[in-house]
């Protein structure tokens, strides 16, 4: 339970980070809050030659709000995002999700970018980001690019980010026009703060007549990556969201998932819980949008 | 590999005392506190961020010291359970309350519990039951069933309110 030896670099700039990553040939890794990397190092699941610390790079920390998006820089602490009035009012689904992330001790160090980089299939921030059509900005020595959440998750703890890229920020688009938004986040875990057995995030937009103009439902912990329930979403759009409507589309959830069996839960249980949580999340989000 | 064994000099304030020492990059903050500084009050349970026994205050907020590299603590202020005593080294209000309300059995989780409770009571000396449960939610205790720990924190809170 002790990390293997590595070289430590306290980076002063993003340029320095991407240079070290580029020269590292896959053996260099970024540390931010360390809440997932430190256990990986301790258990020697990760044995990098170089650890690059990005905590002192001021431009990688903080929250920015523009007319059409909220940008959370990679090294922003989960506790800071959770306490931010901007996040609570503009990205309520993210605030609801972060309240389930770990405990105060881990949220005080853990970062928004770290959670997205680690990409545990049951973790909350990636799930909320997927439900909100967020994208990440990545940077390597060769340049910068953006990757939408829909294309970002490749497998358990595997993302589209290459070894020589650093995650700079996550961008959340803000709803535009005369719409009413409702959100909900529900999860089942063994104890509060544990990784979710299954989690559901819903983001519903209603137009001024109460018709669903956009619906997003994302399920985590029930497949190798967090998944959007696209068939269900398509069926919800264009109608008022009633309990009957939700019941009518709910079977799509179990059909869309291929959960695993493990020591925490069986695949059948995960499918069932996913359906129950989906119903709760859709019902609550629709009610919030109708308020 | 010799390059990787290079020690890095750091300077930090621990329980009010500024100290400078050289640490290996891979050393965790919890191991530094215990093995380099002999502050054995901080306990190490799981070493991968699950049990909360190694909790300390970093710049006033609770964190797990096994999930931070010692080098990352450079320039920061740290409070360990040793720093919670009164100036004359007698137990502080919270520690005394844990004694009086029997908030421990084996004592392994106690330093982490004290740190989490201290952070809570510093911000809010009249917490609800739910707030207490939430504050110690990241600290595992395998003996008490938590009841007496919660009662200890409630007792400390009432004494803090009386003391003003």
């Amino acid at each position: 339970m002790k990390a293997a030896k590595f070289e430590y670099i306290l980076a002063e700039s993003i340029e320095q980070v991407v240079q070290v990553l580029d020269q590292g040939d896959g053996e260099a890794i970024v540390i931010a809050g360390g809440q997932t990397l430190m256990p990986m190092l301790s258990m020697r699941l990760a044995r990098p030659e170089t650890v690059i610390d990005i905590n002192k790079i001021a431009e990688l920390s903080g929250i920015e709000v523009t007319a059409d998006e909220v940008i959370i820089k990679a090294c922003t602490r989960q506790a800071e995002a959770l306490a931010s009035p901007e996040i609570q009012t503009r990205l309520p689904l993210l605030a609801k999700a972060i309240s389930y992330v770990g405990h105060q001790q881990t949220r005080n160090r853990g970062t928004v970018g770290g959670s997205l980089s680690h990409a545990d299939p049951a973790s909350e921030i990636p799930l909320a980001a997927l439900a909100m059509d967020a994208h990440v900005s990545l940077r390597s020595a060769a340049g910068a690019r953006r990757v939408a959440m829909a294309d970002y998750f490749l497998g358990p703890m595997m993302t589209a980010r290459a070894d020589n890229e650093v995650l700079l920020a996550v961008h959340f688009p803000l709803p535009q026009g005369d719409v009413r938004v409702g959100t909900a986040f529900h999860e089942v875990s063994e104890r509060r703060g544990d990784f979710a057995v299954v989690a559901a995030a819903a983001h519903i937009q209603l137009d001024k007549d109460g018709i669903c103009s956009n619906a997003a439902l994302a399920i985590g912990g029930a497949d190798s990556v967090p998944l959007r329930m696209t068939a269900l979403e398509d069926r919800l759009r264009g109608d008022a969201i009633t309990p009957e409507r939700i019941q009518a589309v709910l079977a799509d959830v179990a059909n869309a998932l291929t959960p695993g069996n493990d020591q925490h839960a069986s695949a059948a249980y995960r499918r069932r819980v996913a359906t129950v949580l989906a119903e709760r999340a859709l019902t609550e989000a629709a009610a919030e949008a109708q308020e | 590999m010799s390059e990787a064994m290079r020690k890095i000099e750091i300077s930090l304030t621990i329980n009010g005392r500024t100290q400078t020492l050289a640490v290996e990059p891979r050393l965790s903050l919890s191991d530094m506190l215990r093995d380099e500084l002999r502050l054995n009050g901080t306990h190490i349970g799981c070493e991968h961020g699950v049990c909360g026994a190694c909790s300390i205050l970093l710049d006033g907020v609770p964190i797990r010291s096994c999930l931070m590299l010692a080098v990352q603590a450079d320039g920061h202020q740290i409070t360990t359970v040793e720093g919670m005593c009164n100036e004359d080294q007698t137990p502080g209000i919270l520690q005394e309350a844990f004694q009086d309300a029997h908030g421990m059995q084996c004592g392994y989780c106690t330093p982490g519990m004290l740190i989490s409770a201290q952070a809570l009571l510093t911000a809010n000396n009249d917490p609800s039951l739910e707030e207490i449960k939430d504050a110690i939610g990241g600290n595992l205790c395998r003996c008490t069933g938590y009841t007496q720990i919660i009662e200890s924190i409630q007792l400390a809170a009432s004494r803090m309110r009386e003391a003003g």
Side-chain angles (χ1 to χ4, degrees):
Chain A
M1 298 300 289
K2 307 290 176 196
K5 287 171 182 165
F6 54 76
E7 171 81 6
Y8 170 85
I9 296 172
L10 181 58
E12 286 167 8
S13 67
I14 295 168
E15 286 66 34
Q16 188 187 3
V17 175
V18 295
Q19 271 170 27
V20 173
L21 287 175
D22 208 51
Q23 292 154 8
D25 199 21
E27 296 297 330
I29 196 163
V30 168
I31 191 166
Q35 302 303 288
T36 46
L37 184 58
M38 284 295 289
M40 307 264 288
L41 291 171
S42 288
M43 293 187 264
R44 302 201 177 188
L45 295 170
R47 292 187 67 153
E49 283 175 9
T50 307
V51 171
I52 317 152
D53 189 341
I54 61 169
N55 279 281
K56 299 286 183 210
I57 304 175
E59 55 189 309
L60 281 182
S61 183
I63 297 163
E64 264 176 44
V65 182
T66 70
D68 48 14
E69 62 179 10
V70 176
I71 306 162
I72 304 181
K73 315 280 185 67
C75 217
T76 307
R77 309 284 166 204
Q78 292 155 6
E80 184 191 338
L82 184 60
S84 157
E86 295 284 16
I87 301 295
Q88 286 163 10
T89 54
R90 290 169 201 267
L91 303 177
L93 181 58
L94 183 66
K96 289 171 189 176
I98 295 178
S99 72
Y100 286 95
V101 177
H103 307 281
Q104 53 165 348
Q105 293 98 327
T106 58
R107 290 194 298 267
N108 281 332
R109 283 295 292 170
T111 64
V112 172
S115 178
L116 284 161
S117 297
H118 184 61
D120 186 292
S123 62
E124 292 87 358
I125 292 172
L127 187 64
L130 179 67
M132 284 186 280
D133 293 318
H135 67 265
V136 289
S137 49
L138 304 171
R139 172 89 184 273
S140 71
R145 65 178 179 130
R146 292 181 154 206
V147 179
M149 282 296 116
D151 305 320
Y152 179 70
F153 304 104
L154 304 182
M157 290 116 176
M158 284 182 281
T159 69
R161 185 182 59 82
D163 284 341
N164 68 343
E165 287 180 307
V166 62
L167 193 154
L168 299 181
V170 53
H171 301 245
F172 294 89
L174 290 169
Q176 302 294 315
D178 185 16
V179 292
R180 287 175 291 163
V181 173
T183 65
F185 194 99
H186 281 272
E187 81 170 45
V188 166
S189 58
E190 286 171 40
R191 291 170 302 246
R192 180 144 185 122
D194 282 0
F195 272 110
V197 173
V198 178
H203 196 275
I204 303 275
Q205 277 186 33
L206 303 179
D207 68 16
K208 57 182 177 2
D209 302 319
I211 301 299
C212 175
S213 54
N214 209 358
L217 176 68
I219 303 286
D223 212 311
S224 60
V225 292
L227 280 182
R228 283 281 289 270
M229 303 291 105
T230 48
L232 176 148
E233 295 168 3
D234 289 344
R235 293 174 65 194
L236 281 179
R237 265 181 226 114
D239 257 321
I241 298 187
T242 59
E244 295 72 31
R245 195 83 204 99
I246 291 171
Q247 285 302 325
V249 299
L250 215 50
D252 287 347
V253 173
N255 294 335
L257 298 169
T258 312
N261 280 299
D262 61 26
Q263 71 271 34
H264 301 295
S266 67
Y269 177 78
R270 282 198 159 91
R271 257 201 200 94
R272 188 172 156 75
V273 171
T275 305
V276 171
L277 294 185
E279 182 184 2
R280 283 183 201 163
L282 289 172
T283 306
E284 192 180 303
E288 196 181 272
Q290 284 155 5
E291 268 172 20
Chain B
M1 199 51 88
S2 63
E3 180 68 12
M5 289 178 65
R6 182 174 60 97
K7 286 195 172 182
I8 297 171
E9 188 169 286
I10 60 170
S11 175
L12 67 172
T13 306
I14 301 176
N15 300 331
R17 217 177 115 217
T18 301
Q19 289 179 269
T20 300
L21 67 164
V23 295
E24 239 190 291
R26 64 167 167 166
L27 188 71
S28 70
L29 180 57
S30 51
D31 280 342
M32 182 196 83
L33 292 170
R34 290 178 56 86
D35 299 342
E36 310 281 320
L37 300 173
R38 295 287 160 199
L39 290 167
N40 295 328
T42 298
H43 290 173
I44 296 175
C46 68
E47 277 187 285
H48 62 284
V50 176
C51 75
C54 69
S55 300
I56 56 147
L57 298 178
L58 178 81
D59 303 324
V61 300
I63 66 143
R64 302 198 196 290
S65 62
C66 76
L67 293 188
M68 187 169 175
L69 296 169
V71 286
Q72 293 184 299
D74 185 33
H76 289 281
Q77 303 243 5
I78 283 168
T79 305
T80 68
V81 70
E82 289 91 345
M84 291 173 62
C85 296
N86 297 323
E87 272 177 35
D88 61 2
Q89 292 304 300
T90 55
I93 290 179
L94 188 60
Q95 290 163 314
E96 212 164 66
F98 266 66
Q99 225 169 53
D100 294 346
H102 307 287
M104 73 186 87
Q105 286 181 28
C106 86
Y108 209 90
C109 71
T110 312
M113 289 288 178
L114 288 167
I115 289 288
S116 295
Q118 179 76 44
L120 170 70
L121 297 181
T122 302
N124 172 12
N125 70 8
D126 194 10
S128 67
L129 178 61
E130 279 312 306
E131 286 168 329
I132 294 174
K133 283 185 177 175
D134 193 50
I136 60 168
N139 296 84
L140 297 183
C141 171
R142 302 290 77 169
C143 307
T144 62
Y146 302 99
T147 307
Q148 284 151 280
I149 294 173
I150 292 166
E151 287 167 0
S152 301
I153 296 169
Q154 288 170 328
L155 178 63
S158 70
R159 287 177 179 173
M160 283 178 186
R161 291 196 300 274
E162 277 166 32

